[in-house]
Amino acid sequence: NKGDFIGIHLDIGLDYMISLLGILKAGCAYVSIDTGYPSGRKRYLLDNSSIGVVITDTTYMFEIDFYEGELFAIDVELDSFQGDNFDINLSCPDDLAYVLYTSGSTGVPKGVMITHGNLLDYLSGLIASLGLDKGIYSYGLMSTPSADLGNTVLFGSLSTGGVLHLFSREMVMDVYSLISYFDTNPIDIIKMVPSHWYSLCSGDGIFLP
């Protein structure tokens, strides 16, 4: 139903993007649950956000066996799903797009509710300040959409018709795999924390050979 919270418990990849876009098209809000989170954090997020359905796959469904709501294993159930393409549930600026949870470093994690109006306002500023409407750019998603870093790149790409490159957690942590990928797939825009950037660079700010 429109306005429902839907959890996404998947690694970054095509199934993740299908899930995210389907949720938004249905007029619902997504809650990204990073597969690398500890079990206790996953349990807290699922309980606190009152998620009705979690989209996952058979690799991870037993890692959230404490969840008592409905599970949708996309790698099995999507192939057998029968139905017509559903109509878009148009969202208003005050409707929720997604919920982000803080780290909880100063207490329990807190859910930050991001409306479509919030998201559009942010993207408008991003596009204007970086001139993203002046060309087609390639974006590298280096951070999980469970954090604000990831959503900047994800929606920045989608809203400007850019090319979005998705990186697994393993690849993000492997400096030489990343550099090899960048050599053959030029990326215009990435967003990462400074410590990660420094690990990719030599002292003069040039990517390591």
Side-chain angles (χ1 to χ4, degrees):
N1 297 321
K2 184 176 180 180
D4 286 351
F5 288 174
I6 310 295
I8 307 178
H9 183 255
L10 292 166
D11 289 330
I12 298 302
L14 183 59
D15 284 344
Y16 190 100
M17 296 304 301
I18 290 171
S19 302
L20 183 151
L21 293 174
I23 290 168
L24 294 179
K25 182 177 180 181
C28 299
Y30 71 87
V31 182
S32 184
I33 304 164
D34 196 297
T35 56
Y37 281 162
S39 178
R41 182 174 171 87
K42 292 180 184 180
R43 185 189 294 269
Y44 176 83
L45 264 58
L46 288 167
D47 290 344
N48 184 259
S49 57
S50 301
I51 290 173
V53 179
V54 173
I55 302 173
T56 186
D57 59 26
T58 51
T59 303
Y60 292 114
M61 60 189 304
F62 295 108
E63 292 189 10
I64 51 172
D65 55 1
F66 48 81
Y67 174 65
E68 297 180 353
E70 182 180 350
L71 288 176
F72 183 87
I74 192 170
D75 57 333
V76 174
E77 298 186 66
L78 186 63
D79 289 341
S80 60
F81 180 78
Q82 299 293 324
D84 296 327
N85 190 25
F86 58 87
D87 294 332
I88 295 176
N89 264 321
L90 294 178
S91 297
C92 299
D94 291 337
D95 291 338
L96 291 181
Y98 58 93
V99 178
L100 283 177
Y101 275 83
T102 62
S103 64
S105 57
T106 58
V108 297
K110 299 175 180 62
V112 181
M113 295 183 286
I114 309 298
T115 67
H116 284 270
N118 297 149
L119 181 57
L120 288 173
D121 183 63
Y122 175 77
L123 289 174
S124 296
L126 184 73
I127 291 168
S129 62
L130 298 181
L132 300 182
D133 55 345
K134 296 178 173 59
I136 301 300
Y137 300 99
S138 291
Y139 297 71
L141 183 56
M142 309 289 289
S143 178
T144 171
S146 300
D148 193 43
L149 272 168
N151 287 284
T152 298
V153 171
L154 193 156
F155 286 107
S157 170
L158 295 178
S159 64
T160 59
V163 179
L164 181 62
H165 297 253
L166 305 175
F167 296 97
S168 67
R169 180 182 289 105
E170 292 75 21
M171 191 171 182
V172 167
M173 300 305 294
D174 186 335
V175 171
Y176 292 99
S177 291
L178 276 179
I179 293 171
S180 177
Y181 187 89
F182 292 154
D183 282 342
T184 55
N185 300 272
I187 305 292
D188 300 305
I189 298 170
I190 57 176
K191 187 177 182 181
M192 60 177 66
V193 296
S195 58
H196 193 184
W197 172 254
Y198 293 141
S199 74
L200 290 172
C201 298
S202 62
D204 56 2
I206 305 300
F207 277 113
L208 289 167

